[in-house]
Amino acid sequence: MKEDTIVEVKNLTKKFGDLLVLDNISFEIKRGDLLCVVGPTGCGKTTFLNSLTKLYDITSGQILLDGETVNLSKHNIAYIFQETSTMPWLTVEKNVSFGLDIKHVPEAEKKKRVEEVLEIVGLIDYRKYYPRQLSSSMQQRVVIARAFATKPELLLMDEPYAQLDVELRFRLEDELVKLWEQTGTTVLFITHNIEEAVYLGENIMILTNKPTKVKKTLPNSIPRPRDISAPEFVKLRNQVTELIKWW
């Protein structure tokens, strides 16, 4: 494993009975990368993510984090789902600090981290609110702040903005980029939205349809903040689109 590599996936294969979903997938993720993964609808993107987190047992292959087999009791991995996963009985502040409480982070450090992430996602004034008092987009901000506050080695995001309208999605994408830039967290972001992948990703991995393979990984060197109408943005978006239209 290269020194700047944090995740190495070797010959990952996943079957459900006789159905082959993930077919001998191999790739690496560099430390501090924001990797977006896109592919045709139903190609197995969530299965792929669930295999990384061991929610599913893999049929064969290896998933290594820092050169070791992924072990959720040892490695600090955060997972953000499509649905908001706030705890309704806790305030915004308590939701964000929940993971830090579990890890017994010292009080001063915990307070510092919570303040930092609440500031970035614009929830300082809502710290005493409960999730039921917040919109869906604000609840998702709470979830994202909670994940970043724990300083995970790897953050997995499964289409977290899929249910939001375009304006809210762009706002949360900008906040995600700020958090990623400030923390250096390695992020693997699953999306079916090609424009979102080009807007967010430092690298874009394109998957084939089932049985799923890695078709290609494209670097994205477009300067930030990214303009979705810029010629280089449109060019890369079209390139990704054509690669997904493999049929």
Side-chain angles (χ1 to χ4, degrees):
M1 178 178 283
K2 299 173 187 173
E3 190 174 328
D4 64 345
T5 297
I6 186 170
V7 176
E8 188 174 11
V9 176
K10 298 179 178 180
N11 309 114
L12 172 62
T13 298
K14 174 61 182 174
K15 291 181 178 180
F16 293 98
D18 293 329
L19 177 64
L20 177 61
V21 179
L22 304 179
D23 186 11
N24 199 37
I25 290 176
S26 296
F27 66 93
E28 295 180 355
I29 304 177
K30 290 183 178 179
R31 194 177 308 278
D33 195 4
L34 201 173
L35 174 67
C36 286
V37 179
V38 293
T41 300
C43 75
K45 295 187 290 295
T46 298
T47 299
F48 165 74
L49 210 57
N50 288 342
S51 297
L52 286 180
T53 55
K54 293 199 166 181
L55 288 175
Y56 293 156
D57 291 328
I58 62 175
T59 304
S60 62
Q62 279 186 302
I63 304 171
L64 304 178
L65 181 60
D66 274 330
E68 300 178 342
T69 301
V70 171
N71 182 345
L72 297 183
S73 64
K74 177 180 179 180
H75 295 124
N76 185 4
I77 298 175
Y79 193 167
I80 297 176
F81 300 87
Q82 290 185 30
E83 301 79 15
T84 57
S85 56
T86 52
M87 288 163 279
W89 61 91
L90 296 178
T91 63
V92 166
E93 187 174 42
K94 292 295 184 183
N95 262 281
V96 173
S97 68
F98 184 79
L100 303 177
D101 292 331
I102 290 175
K103 295 176 184 296
H104 305 293
V105 173
E107 192 64 30
E109 174 66 14
K110 180 175 74 172
K111 184 176 180 180
K112 178 175 176 287
R113 290 198 207 176
V114 170
E115 288 296 317
E116 286 174 351
V117 294
L118 286 178
E119 179 68 36
I120 293 171
V121 300
L123 290 175
I124 287 286
D125 293 339
Y126 299 90
R127 64 194 312 146
K128 299 301 182 185
Y129 282 56
Y130 286 87
R132 65 179 178 273
Q133 298 172 285
L134 305 176
S135 65
S136 295
S137 66
M138 291 175 78
Q139 288 186 42
Q140 197 66 316
R141 288 183 193 180
V142 175
V143 174
I144 291 166
R146 182 176 65 205
F148 273 97
T150 65
K151 295 187 176 180
E153 297 168 79
L154 177 64
L155 173 58
L156 306 173
M157 305 181 74
D158 186 9
E159 303 198 55
Y161 309 137
Q163 312 301 324
L164 304 177
D165 64 38
V166 173
E167 184 179 347
L168 288 174
R169 199 178 72 231
F170 273 124
R171 192 179 306 163
L172 291 183
E173 287 167 357
D174 286 339
E175 290 168 0
L176 171 61
V177 170
K178 284 182 188 176
L179 283 163
W180 167 73
E181 288 176 335
Q182 292 191 22
T183 62
T185 300
T186 305
V187 179
L188 192 157
F189 189 104
I190 297 279
T191 180
H192 69 279
N193 188 307
I194 296 168
E195 188 166 84
E196 183 170 58
V198 177
Y199 191 74
L200 287 176
E202 288 290 284
N203 290 283
I204 303 166
M205 183 189 298
I206 298 103
L207 302 179
T208 69
N209 211 336
K210 287 198 290 276
T212 302
K213 295 177 179 287
V214 175
K215 183 161 192 181
K216 193 166 188 177
T217 299
L218 298 174
N220 185 355
S221 58
I222 299 171
R224 300 181 189 273
R226 291 173 176 164
D227 178 359
I228 63 172
S229 63
E232 64 267 36
F233 189 101
V234 174
K235 181 180 177 181
L236 183 56
R237 184 185 66 200
N238 290 344
Q239 188 179 357
V240 175
T241 301
E242 287 305 312
L243 284 166
I244 290 177
K245 291 180 179 177
W246 60 274
W247 58 90

